[in-house]
Amino acid sequence: MVINTKDLTGKHLDWAVAKALDIDMFINPFNEVMKKQPEGIGPVRFEPSTNWGQCGPLIEQFEISLQPPTTRHVNYGDGKGGWEKIEHWTATVPVQHANQHNQKLLADLAIPNIGRATGPTSLIAICRAIVDAKLGDIVTTPYDLNYAGSKKS
């Protein structure tokens, strides 16, 4: 399935994060993203979009800045002088952790890819920002994530 990074959720988001991190993974018969472990240790579910134990270390690893929902004063445009409610979390991965071959326009300047994403929770915003930084605006996820035990692709 082709999905905009900004729309990734659930198992599709977890799979995309594993892909961005180059994690050895597979989808089990129960439609879960599984991270392979060293010999003799069974695989573990990989679910950073809902698991602080898996997502938390990524904040430090990627030096992610995180902005909570807020209300801010508008200093520009049609709403100048008013207040604007930001209802989502915003996460940003700095350029040194992003893939350097992609270019994005940010404030009309072409810069190497920078990961910036929003989400209804901090974990979703963080995961989307990592995927955006490493894989870009569009991701192709396995069809298998939609149906447990499916072999279609």
Side-chain angles (χ1 to χ4, degrees), residues 45 67 110 131:
R45 276 194 311 261
Q67 173 71 43
V131 171

Side-chain angles (χ1 to χ4, degrees), residues 23-119:
I23 289 174
D24 193 7
M25 64 170 158
F26 65 95
I27 300 166
N28 72 10
F30 301 104
N31 197 26
E32 299 168 319
V33 179
M34 304 298 291
K35 178 180 179 183
K36 294 181 181 178
Q37 299 294 306
E39 191 68 31
I41 301 174
V44 296
R45 276 194 311 261
F46 187 70
E47 46 194 6
S49 68
T50 58
N51 182 326
W52 267 108
Q54 292 176 352
C55 189
L58 299 176
I59 296 170
E60 202 167 303
Q61 178 183 344
F62 288 96
E63 301 176 290
I64 294 173
S65 62
L66 194 58
Q67 173 71 43
T70 189
T71 301
R72 68 178 177 194
H73 191 261
V74 179
N75 295 319
Y76 52 87
D78 294 336
K80 185 176 180 178
W83 292 90
E84 173 183 44
K85 185 170 180 133
I86 312 281
E87 296 183 3
H88 52 260
W89 287 84
T90 302
T92 305
V93 175
V95 70
Q96 65 265 25
H97 294 288
N99 285 347
Q100 301 298 312
H101 66 277
N102 290 334
Q103 295 286 314
K104 287 190 177 187
L105 291 178
L106 186 64
D108 297 323
L109 298 173
I111 62 168
N113 192 14
I114 185 171
R116 182 169 289 143
T118 62

